[in-house]
Amino acid sequence: MHAVAIVAAAGSGSRLGAAVPKALVPLGGRPLVAWAVDALLAGGVAEVVVTVPPAERAAFAAALPAEVRLVDGGASRTASVRAGLAVAGVRADVVLVHDAARPLTPPAAVARVLAALADGARAVVPVLPVVDTTVLVDDDGVVAEAVPRAALRRVQTPQGFDRATLVAAYADLDDAAELTDDAAVVRAAGVPVRTVPGDERSAKITVPHDLALAELGVGLTASEVHP
Ligand code: C5P
């Protein structure tokens, strides 16, 4: 099974308040995107395509191994993944889509997604339980109702797909659509999405506190990515 990964790295990261795109922000002395690429390769992916902000192509090329292909991202994550998928290659049996903003994803979490695809799933997402009480609020922010959390899951990346299934689902999707993940794209096409256990270390870096937490976890994941 030949697996190609698309890393969505074309975001600005304005909520992180950094002077460079979020994917280039250093963690343990290396850019977030370099961690994400290494985790995918260590987890069993054969090739990686990274979607980048067009103006920052040279900086990404300097930060990544030469065999990683770079492609200009778009105005939304959905547009960026669509651009990556266009070059992901017909050699791929399966495609994994990952956020550069999840640098400390352990290789074992990547391998679980690949194993479910090898087992015949057409779409796979890593998930974690919801541990907080979860509520719906009205327009004034007043609690309208509590949501039973037993069946709720937080969805992470990398998300895995049979390549032809993902290509067909993106082809069916409106050009202007902006979805927060790729499983939503295939679900819109009626494809069932299987779940596998995610990992707390795959947490997405969004605000400065997330980066501070990740700095504490660098050693743990580094030993698994570069044993
Ligand atoms: O903004 P957020 O953290 O939700 O973005 C998730 C991922 O999507 C990030 O890794 C970001 O770089 C990527 N992205 C992208 N193209 C955009 C916006 C976000 O590749 N236009």
Side-chain angles (χ1 to χ4, degrees):
M1 195 178 70
H2 189 85
V4 174
I6 298 167
V7 178
S12 65
S14 47
R15 286 167 292 181
L16 199 56
V20 293
K22 179 161 67 176
L24 293 178
V25 167
L27 168 67
R30 306 175 65 231
L32 299 187
V33 66
W35 284 98
V37 167
D38 286 355
L40 289 162
L41 293 171
V45 163
E47 297 173 52
V48 182
V49 175
V50 177
T51 73
V52 303
E56 304 284 347
R57 204 178 243 266
F60 276 79
L64 291 167
E67 60 269 25
V68 171
R69 277 182 292 164
L70 305 183
V71 56
D72 288 347
S76 67
R77 185 187 184 281
T78 304
S80 294
V81 174
R82 197 192 285 277
L85 198 51
V87 303
V90 288
R91 275 182 68 210
D93 305 301
V94 298
V95 172
L96 264 54
V97 185
H98 191 39
D99 293 328
R102 299 181 189 271
L104 298 184
T105 298
V110 177
R112 283 195 289 276
V113 173
L114 289 173
L117 292 167
D119 186 48
R122 293 167 68 200
V124 183
V125 293
V127 297
L128 289 176
V130 172
V131 294
D132 293 317
T133 295
T134 303
V135 298
L136 294 176
V137 295
D138 65 18
D139 290 344
D140 299 320
V142 175
V143 173
E145 60 180 295
V147 183
R149 68 183 181 197
L152 295 180
R153 300 289 183 272
R154 292 178 284 143
V155 179
Q156 303 183 317
T157 75
Q159 300 185 353
F161 306 91
D162 164 68
R163 190 188 75 88
T165 298
L166 188 61
V167 168
Y170 265 90
D172 282 351
L173 188 70
D174 190 285
D175 273 346
E178 291 184 20
L179 303 176
T180 55
D181 76 346
D182 304 282
V185 179
V186 300
R187 282 191 61 243
V191 177
V193 178
R194 193 189 289 187
T195 64
V196 294
D199 192 296
E200 293 291 356
R201 286 173 286 168
S202 296
K204 190 165 76 164
I205 292 181
T206 305
V207 295
H209 176 72
D210 302 330
L211 193 59
L213 274 183
E215 289 286 359
L216 296 174
V218 159
L220 203 53
T221 294
S223 63
E224 294 174 26
V225 174
H226 306 286

